[in-house]
Amino acid sequence: MQTRLTGVVQAWDTSHALLFCPAMNTGMWQHPLTAQHVTTLKGIGYIEIICITKKHVCGDEGKGAMADVSNIVNTVKQ
């Protein structure tokens, strides 16, 4: 089954940059499938805005939180 995000990525005009900002709880971030998905996107040439470590809404503390908005904005401007 195709997800909405996959559909957007497949329809993306590849002459334009695509940046992605992973955001999930630490358990999801550490799952091997997540690493494979990030590697696949980067292999296509998409640009990762690296997630950060912090306390998540679910109570977990660790890597996986979305990058700070200022970091995202600065990366997009570059």
Side-chain angles (χ1 to χ4, degrees):
M1 175 180 226
Q2 178 173 306
T3 65
R4 290 183 185 158
L5 178 58
T6 303
V8 169
V9 171
Q10 287 176 313
W12 192 259
D13 179 351
T14 56
S15 67
H16 299 286
L18 186 145
L19 290 79
F20 66 99
C21 308
M24 61 202 76
N25 73 25
T26 302
M28 294 169 69
W29 178 253
Q30 293 173 341
H31 194 282
L33 285 174
T34 302
Q36 288 178 2
H37 294 167
V38 169
T39 299
T40 297
L41 291 172
K42 290 167 64 175
I44 294 169
Y46 299 151
I47 301 163
E48 176 186 14
I49 300 175
I50 298 172
C51 63
I52 61 173
T53 298
K54 71 178 212 177
K55 186 169 186 170
H56 302 267
V57 174
C58 66
D60 287 349
E61 190 160 346
K63 192 163 183 177
M66 188 172 76
D68 293 323
V69 172
S70 61
N71 184 24
I72 295 169
V73 170
N74 289 336
T75 303
V76 169
K77 285 181 178 179
Q78 291 176 0

